[in-house]
Amino acid sequence: MQDKELRLHIQSQAKILSQLGKERKKDDREVKEYLYGPKEGTVSKTFRWIWSHRVARMGQDWIFLALLGMLMAVISYVVDKGILMCMNTRVWLYKDLDFENPVARYLAWVSLPVCLVLFSAGFVSQLAPTSISSGIPEMKTILRGVQLKQLKKFLTFKTLVAKVIGLTATLGSGMPLGKEGPFVHIASILAQILSKLSIFRGIFENETRNIDMLAAACAVGVGACFASPVGGVLFSIEVTTTYFAVRNYWRGFFGAVCGALFFRLIAVWFHNVDTLKAIFSTSFTIEFPYGPQELLAFAMLGLICGILGALWVWVHRQYVYFTRRNKFVDKIIKKNCFLYAGILALMVSTITYPNGLGIFMAGELSTHQQVSYMFTNFTWSQDELSAQEMTISNYWTNPITGEVFSVLFGYAVFTFFFSIITSTMPVPNGIFIPVLKIGAALGRMVGEAMHLWFPTGVFYGNHLNLIIPGTYAVVGASAFAGAATHTVSVGVILFEMTGQITHLLPVMIATLISCAVAAILQPSIFDSIIVLKKLPYLPDLLPSGSGVYNCKVGDFMVSDVVYIWKSITFRQLEDILRKNKELYSIPLVDNEDTMVLLGTVSRHSLIRMIYKHIERAKRMDIESKRREDEEKLRKFMEQPRRSSKFEVINEPDVDRLRQIANNEMLTPRAKQNVLLMEQKPLKSILKKSDSFTMKGFNPLSPHSPTNSTDLKLRSAFDVVYQKSVTLPDAIIDPELGSPTATSDSASPTKKVKLPLERFIDRPMEEQRQWRAKELSKPINLDEGKVTIEPVSFHLMESTPLMKVHSLFAMTGINQAYVTRVGRLVGVVALEELRKVIEDINNGNLVIKSAPIVPELIIPETPDSPDTPETPLSPQTPEPTLIEEIFQKGFDFDTKIVKNY
């Protein structure tokens, strides 16, 4: 029983040690991958070398953008096929299943949309909540200077999967939502994922190049969504950037063209279409598409769309505020995302039920059919219609009154309000298609009214120009979408979507007027969402107040700057890194007295320097060298002395000679007794005992009790003892660098390699002392191979706010240091700049002091009583992270990086 318990105990301890060893190796591997990057194999290195030295020279950016465009085209095609399947299934449940009971038909109409919306809400909330909503406001924030690490979860693979699947289910349910914003987000995620491949890693090593590729990805997303490469590039420029670099034009155009072309080719290859054609193909008259008198109507339509577009943005913001202020609605949204999404899906499906209110708003049609029918060039209210035209007009004709205006008005009002309400659902969604449909309905109403007022057309000279209501629908769609998004490029997108540019002048006139009116009344929908989400975005300056010109950098800069200096110790550096985890780069000064700014050092480089300074490998290497030196000294001391040229004679022992002389004078019997006394050993005063006994049992004795119940256990101890007696000593092999066991009976060339750290590593207490001693040493940036990055932009305390705003907006930086004659005195981050601009625009800024003029001041000595104490070097430092880890029993080598 005892040997069984012993065996089980040994096995359990072995498993624990094995598990601890695996965890230790895993932690070491993670730390080394974080500090030095993933380890590449021989094949990977060879392929990377061939790629970087041969293929990449032919155009690495071209390959990256082409691959990005093709992948986006595939995703766009898959999403469209999924949406079409869901819509066809919904129509099949409603039409093909012969339900005589109206309740059964109603349930067949609303069941699938509710299930799809509930699935989308649950899927994205569990997998990646960052995939909810559009995605354009976040991308706009990233491309305006916010570091990508602050929104690192926004561009992950989980977000991509949740966005694609959730968007397909949401749009397949028939909700009045769009897909352009989510496609911009998806393209940005794909670009980020492709950048992590070893063949494209060089593209995203530079932060500026990273931003350029993300801007191109936004254009690719729009191009793959609507097959509009030119409009996609212009739209991405207007939406995501304030100052655009011309060098990114070719990247955006090339990627967008690849995506749009491949998207249309896939449709041809899978026999969905016969040839390449526009998404909403139109057939407007080419010779006389509109008359000069109609330009006034187009301008008035632009004015109306501008006012209503600003109203749409205002209602959207007010509804979001209402959901946050109302405790009941806010509790439903936060506590149970399924309930809120399910209620809205049921409400929308009920309103669009074809046998109910849906008959007054063309609820039976899909989004693509609705837009395509509104862009048709014939008049719905005319008497003579073909069979196909009659089928289309029946969807937009009131069955009671027989006119089209009530249906168009009901459709516009429904889309106006429910596009706002459904956009707050916790699912992926966009707003471009809804505002496009609202504008198309308004334009179609104006076009139908123009046809009633001028049934035979308008005359100009000898030409008669017929009224084409579809042209007014295209103009209205572009004007309302431009008013909501504050972009003129939506007109170009409409040209590419319709396949005609005959209506170029009316579209541009109406869009420009609507954008100007909406910009005066309200911000764009994307800027409004940024304000609602409180994203770290840099707003525009309103130069109407005098505070813009009087405000200086010294009025809002942060004076308490976290910095490091050349003579700082490792312990102080570790404490600064632990307390300021949000900093990704730290300024470096020459010393604490002069505070001359030398540059910045990245957080990653400092962590790697600390890790290399106190890592286990360095400690064991030092200990191994020390033991080698001790072994060499021992061998040197044991060497026999060299023979001397002179004979050395020991001094005679006088007492011994006297004893011999006395013995010679004794009698023969007395001499014999003395001789016996010298030969007899002296009796020990200690008790005789064996070196290893166990209840009277001597393991070395050949006689052992055989009738004992502990015979097996004693035999085991006997074997262990015999091996411990005959086990050779472990010595350090200088060739292998690790302890080896030797034996006289073994072959001299046979060596057993034992764990190095088991024999030469120091005890835990000495390890702590060694680490504490190493951390008390000053850092050496040259020895640690730490790169000091220069500070590109210096601000003076008297720099005006308008100049700082232009600098941040054009360069995309997120912070700048303020110096006075080279001395570091403050820092300005994007957050402080955004806050002061908002205060100025709202009229709440209070200037703290007059403009500061730089002075040439000699810094005071450290002994001066007026010199402020730096908070980075307190007199009594708090316990550092090292001591906390030691108290908890963790190993600093594998845990310090994670704690940083």
Side-chain angles (χ1 to χ4, degrees):
M1 183 63 66
Q2 294 182 359
D3 63 336
K4 183 177 180 180
E5 294 177 357
L6 179 63
R7 183 170 63 254
L8 294 176
H9 177 70
I10 294 174
Q11 291 177 355
S12 63
Q13 293 297 323
K15 290 180 180 179
I16 294 174
L17 294 176
S18 176
Q19 185 67 23
L20 291 176
K22 292 180 180 179
E23 294 178 358
R24 179 74 170 270
K25 291 181 180 179
K26 182 180 179 181
D27 292 340
D28 290 341
R29 184 167 59 253
E30 291 178 355
V31 169
K32 290 182 179 179
E33 287 182 359
Y34 170 76
L35 295 176
Y36 308 107
K39 187 177 181 181
E40 293 183 341
T42 306
V43 179
S44 178
K45 289 181 180 179
T46 305
F47 179 76
R48 181 178 175 83
W49 185 88
I50 295 174
W51 178 274
S52 59
H53 290 79
R54 294 294 180 268
V55 182
R57 291 182 179 180
M58 297 185 295
Q60 192 176 14
D61 291 358
W62 296 84
I63 300 174
F64 178 87
L65 294 170
L67 182 60
L68 176 62
M70 289 187 290
L71 290 177
M72 274 305 303
V74 173
I75 292 178
S76 179
Y77 179 78
V78 172
V79 170
D80 288 348
K81 289 292 291 184
I83 295 172
L84 183 61
M85 290 175 59
C86 294
M87 297 298 295
N88 292 339
T89 304
R90 185 187 187 187
V91 175
W92 173 77
L93 288 174
Y94 172 72
K95 284 186 175 181
D96 295 347
L97 295 181
D98 189 11
F99 291 119
E100 297 181 357
N101 190 349
V103 177
R105 294 178 66 88
Y106 168 75
L107 294 177
W109 176 260
V110 302
S111 59
L112 183 61
V114 173
C115 293
L116 289 175
V117 169
L118 290 178
F119 166 76
S120 177
F123 184 78
V124 300
S125 62
Q126 294 297 324
L127 183 62
T130 52
S131 63
I132 296 174
S133 187
S134 170
I136 290 182
E138 287 80 3
M139 288 307 305
K140 190 172 183 178
T141 304
I142 292 174
L143 296 177
R144 284 290 186 92
V146 177
Q147 284 189 354
L148 189 62
K149 294 181 180 179
Q150 299 181 14
L151 298 171
K152 58 182 179 179
K153 293 183 179 180
F154 185 72
L155 300 176
T156 59
F157 181 74
K158 286 185 177 181
T159 306
L160 174 65
V161 175
K163 199 82 172 184
V164 172
I165 298 178
L167 180 64
T168 305
T170 302
L171 298 183
S173 64
M175 297 293 107
L177 298 170
K179 63 176 182 177
E180 185 178 27
F183 266 68
V184 172
H185 188 191
I186 292 171
S188 303
I189 298 175
L190 273 180
Q192 186 70 15
I193 293 175
L194 289 176
S195 69
K196 295 181 180 179
L197 299 178
S198 58
I199 58 176
F200 296 124
R201 193 174 300 164
I203 293 180
F204 282 76
E205 288 179 353
N206 185 275
E207 183 180 355
T208 304
R209 203 176 184 191
N210 183 6
I211 297 298
D212 294 345
M213 287 299 176
L214 288 178
C218 295
V220 173
V222 181
C225 181
F226 299 122
S228 56
V230 180
V233 174
L234 298 178
F235 184 83
S236 65
I237 293 173
E238 287 188 281
V239 168
T240 57
T241 57
T242 302
Y243 299 92
F244 185 75
V246 181
R247 64 177 182 272
N248 295 331
Y249 258 120
W250 74 268
R251 292 191 178 97
F253 276 116
F254 180 74
V257 166
C258 290
L261 178 62
F262 201 71
F263 174 66
R264 301 311 299 163
L265 287 177
I266 291 177
V268 176
W269 292 339
F270 286 92
H271 306 289
N272 292 337
V273 293
D274 297 332
T275 184
L276 298 177
K277 64 178 184 179
I279 296 179
F280 303 112
S281 182
T282 57
S283 56
F284 301 142
T285 304
I286 299 177
E287 295 181 356
F288 303 104
Y290 53 88
Q293 299 91 335
E294 295 181 74
L295 293 178
L296 181 60
F298 291 133
M300 292 301 298
L301 179 60
L303 178 62
I304 295 172
C305 289
I307 297 174
L308 294 180
L311 178 63
W312 187 84
V313 175
W314 181 82
V315 173
H316 176 274
R317 187 167 60 254
Q318 295 302 318
Y319 178 76
V320 174
Y321 286 145
F322 166 74
T323 57
R324 293 179 180 177
R325 290 192 297 263
N326 191 289
K327 296 182 179 180
F328 178 73
V329 179
D330 184 66
K331 184 177 180 181
I332 293 177
I333 296 176
K334 292 182 178 179
K335 297 295 183 180
N336 195 335
C337 61
F338 297 98
L339 184 60
Y340 182 72
I343 292 174
L344 292 183
L346 181 62
M347 187 184 303
V348 173
S349 301
T350 302
I351 294 175
T352 59
Y353 178 54
N355 289 343
L357 295 177
I359 199 171
F360 300 103
M361 59 188 66
E364 188 177 345
L365 299 177
S366 64
T367 298
H368 187 273
Q369 292 173 333
Q370 292 169 356
V371 178
S372 298
Y373 291 168
M374 283 189 288
F375 287 173
T376 52
N377 59 350
F378 66 93
T379 305
W380 294 341
S381 59
Q382 66 185 9
D383 298 331
E384 297 180 358
L385 295 174
S386 63
Q388 183 179 3
E389 294 173 350
M390 183 65 70
T391 303
I392 295 175
S393 64
N394 288 336
Y395 290 108
W396 301 94
T397 303
N398 192 322
I400 300 176
T401 61
E403 47 85 26
V404 299
F405 294 100
S406 61
V407 178
L408 288 171
F409 180 77
Y411 175 82
V413 172
F414 166 78
T415 309
F416 186 95
F417 288 102
F418 277 90
S419 62
I420 294 174
I421 297 174
T422 54
S423 65
T424 59
M425 291 194 304
V427 293
N429 58 76
I431 54 90
F432 187 80
I433 292 295
V435 297
L436 198 74
K437 295 193 297 182
I438 297 171
L442 294 175
R444 188 76 193 193
M445 291 172 60
V446 175
E448 294 290 339
M450 289 290 292
H451 177 75
L452 292 179
W453 295 333
F454 305 97
T456 59
V458 291
F459 283 94
Y460 183 75
N462 298 327
H463 298 284
L464 176 64
N465 297 317
L466 297 176
I467 300 297
I468 303 176
T471 302
Y472 288 84
V474 174
V475 173
S478 176
F480 197 91
T485 59
H486 288 193
T487 57
V488 186
S489 57
V490 292
V492 183
I493 294 177
L494 262 296
F495 298 149
E496 295 179 288
M497 290 171 64
T498 57
Q500 287 187 287
I501 60 172
T502 56
H503 44 285
L504 171 63
L505 191 58
V507 165
M508 298 309 298
I509 290 175
T511 305
L512 289 172
I513 293 176
S514 65
C515 288
V517 173
I520 296 174
L521 299 178
Q522 288 292 325
S524 68
I525 181 61
F526 304 121
D527 293 339
S528 178
I529 295 176
I530 288 174
V531 174
L532 292 174
K533 291 186 175 182
K534 299 180 180 180
L535 296 175
Y537 173 73
L538 183 61
D540 295 330
L541 279 171
L542 300 179
S544 58
S546 60
V548 177
Y549 307 99
N550 297 332
C551 185
K552 308 296 181 181
V553 171
D555 297 323
F556 59 90
M557 71 177 185
V558 178
S559 302
D560 188 12
V561 188
V562 178
Y563 61 91
I564 60 175
W565 56 96
K566 279 190 172 182
S567 59
I568 189 175
T569 63
F570 283 94
R571 184 180 295 277
Q572 292 174 322
L573 177 60
E574 184 269 334
D575 190 45
I576 292 175
L577 292 175
R578 183 173 62 90
K579 292 181 178 179
N580 303 276
K581 296 182 179 181
E582 71 281 356
L583 298 180
Y584 297 98
S585 63
I586 300 178
L588 173 68
V589 299
D590 56 348
N591 56 67
E592 297 181 272
D593 298 332
T594 59
M595 293 291 294
V596 176
L597 183 62
L598 303 178
T600 60
V601 183
S602 65
R603 180 185 187 88
H604 185 273
S605 301
L606 295 175
I607 295 176
R608 184 168 55 186
M609 181 182 64
I610 297 177
Y611 178 79
K612 291 177 64 177
H613 184 68
I614 58 175
E615 64 178 343
R616 187 191 315 110
K618 178 181 178 181
R619 184 182 68 248
M620 295 184 61
D621 185 55
I622 295 175
E623 186 66 16
S624 177
K625 291 181 180 180
R626 185 181 67 84
R627 297 214 175 191
E628 288 180 3
D629 295 340
E630 292 179 355
E631 183 66 19
K632 290 180 181 179
L633 180 61
R634 185 184 63 81
K635 290 182 179 180
F636 176 77
M637 296 299 295
E638 291 180 354
Q639 290 180 356
R641 291 188 177 182
R642 187 175 55 184
S643 58
S644 177
K645 297 180 180 181
F646 304 95
E647 181 180 2
V648 179
I649 302 175
N650 295 330
E651 183 179 358
D653 190 354
V654 179
D655 295 336
R656 181 63 180 171
L657 294 177
R658 184 180 296 108
Q659 183 66 29
I660 293 173
N662 293 334
N663 292 339
E664 290 294 333
M665 293 185 296
L666 297 175
T667 60
R669 187 174 180 84
K671 289 181 179 181
Q672 186 177 1
N673 293 335
V674 171
L675 183 60
L676 292 175
M677 290 293 296
E678 291 178 356
Q679 294 178 355
K680 186 177 180 180
L682 299 177
K683 185 177 181 180
S684 176
I685 63 175
L686 300 176
K687 182 179 179 181
K688 293 184 178 181
S689 61
D690 296 322
S691 60
F692 179 77
T693 59
M694 186 175 63
K695 295 183 180 180
F697 170 71
N698 187 359
L700 293 179
S701 175
H703 306 286
S704 60
T706 58
N707 56 349
S708 175
T709 57
D710 300 333
L711 180 60
K712 293 183 179 181
L713 183 60
R714 295 177 181 179
S715 300
F717 276 106
D718 187 10
V719 173
V720 173
Y721 185 83
Q722 292 291 348
K723 289 184 177 181
S724 64
V725 173
T726 59
L727 185 66
D729 295 333
I731 61 175
I732 303 297
D733 189 350
E735 296 181 359
L736 297 178
S738 60
T740 58
T742 60
S743 177
D744 296 340
S745 59
S747 174
T749 59
K750 183 178 180 180
K751 300 178 181 180
V752 180
K753 189 174 181 180
L754 298 177
L756 178 66
E757 55 193 67
R758 179 178 174 184
F759 291 91
I760 68 173
D761 202 1
R762 299 182 180 183
M764 183 58 66
E765 186 62 29
E766 294 185 6
Q767 293 180 22
R768 295 175 180 174
Q769 296 176 1
W770 180 82
R771 290 192 184 100
K773 181 179 178 181
E774 293 295 323
L775 288 174
S776 61
K777 296 180 180 179
I779 64 173
N780 190 337
L781 299 178
D782 297 333
E783 182 180 350
K785 298 181 180 180
V786 176
T787 303
I788 302 176
E789 299 177 358
V791 180
S792 303
F793 302 99
H794 292 264
L795 299 178
M796 302 298 291
E797 293 173 290
S798 59
T799 305
L801 175 63
M802 297 187 66
K803 185 176 181 180
V804 179
H805 179 271
S806 301
L807 178 65
F808 273 69
M810 285 190 296
T811 60
I813 60 176
N814 59 351
Q815 69 176 11
Y817 295 104
V818 183
T819 58
R820 181 192 302 164
V821 198
R823 298 174 62 242
L824 179 64
V825 295
V827 62
V828 175
L830 188 65
E831 182 179 358
E832 288 80 26
L833 182 60
R834 177 172 57 88
K835 187 177 183 303
V836 71
I837 292 175
E838 290 177 352
D839 293 341
I840 288 179
N841 293 340
N842 297 330
N844 300 327
L845 180 67
V846 178
I847 304 299
K848 296 184 297 185
S849 60
I852 302 175
V853 180
E855 300 179 359
L856 293 174
I857 303 175
I858 301 176
E860 300 179 357
T861 59
D863 298 334
S864 177
D866 298 332
T867 303
E869 295 183 0
T870 173
L872 301 179
S873 56
Q875 299 295 330
T876 57
E878 299 178 356
T880 63
L881 177 65
I882 313 296
E883 298 173 356
E884 295 178 2
I885 292 177
F886 286 154
Q887 293 173 2
K888 296 179 180 179
F890 296 109
D891 190 353
F892 177 81
D893 297 333
T894 58
K895 303 296 182 181
I896 185 171
V897 178
K898 297 181 180 179
N899 284 277
Y900 278 139

